[in-house]
Amino acid sequence: MKKGIHPDYNPTVFVDVSTGKQFVTNSTIPAKGHQTETVDGVECVKVFRDITMDSHPVYTGEKRFVDTAGRVEKFQNKFRRRR
């Protein structure tokens, strides 16, 4: 493996915003510009995600309806049949 061409591999904590669950893993996400948190004595980069495997309907089996900024109504109004 060539030296100096690969990004740094950092311990990372992904936080699911909707459930609050944290996933500790490694990632190439740089620490610059992100919060850090100490988990089990290791300084980790903290990254917030809206949807992870803990809250995604495919994994949870739940059916959720998330309407952000009226997108459904906007779509329905745009493609409503005119009589």
Side-chain angles (χ1 to χ4, degrees):
M1 186 154 63
K2 290 185 179 180
K3 296 188 186 266
I5 63 168
H6 299 285
D8 293 331
Y9 202 55
N10 305 313
T12 307
V13 175
F14 288 97
V15 180
D16 189 319
V17 176
S18 61
T19 64
K21 187 167 180 181
Q22 297 182 351
F23 303 91
V24 180
T25 185
N26 290 312
S27 176
T28 57
I29 295 175
K32 186 178 179 182
H34 287 92
Q35 295 178 3
T36 58
E37 180 178 337
T38 304
V39 178
D40 295 332
V42 178
E43 190 73 21
C44 300
V45 177
K46 193 171 189 180
V47 180
F48 296 94
R49 293 289 173 234
D50 293 328
I51 297 175
T52 64
M53 66 180 191
D54 194 48
S55 62
H56 195 281
V58 170
Y59 298 106
T60 62
E62 296 177 6
K63 290 186 179 181
R64 288 191 201 171
F65 180 74
V66 179
D67 182 19
T68 305
R71 287 191 278 170
V72 173
E73 287 82 12
K74 185 177 177 182
F75 177 82
Q76 289 173 343
N77 290 337
K78 185 176 181 180
F79 293 103
R80 181 180 296 147
R81 287 187 176 175
R82 297 190 170 116
R83 296 177 196 201

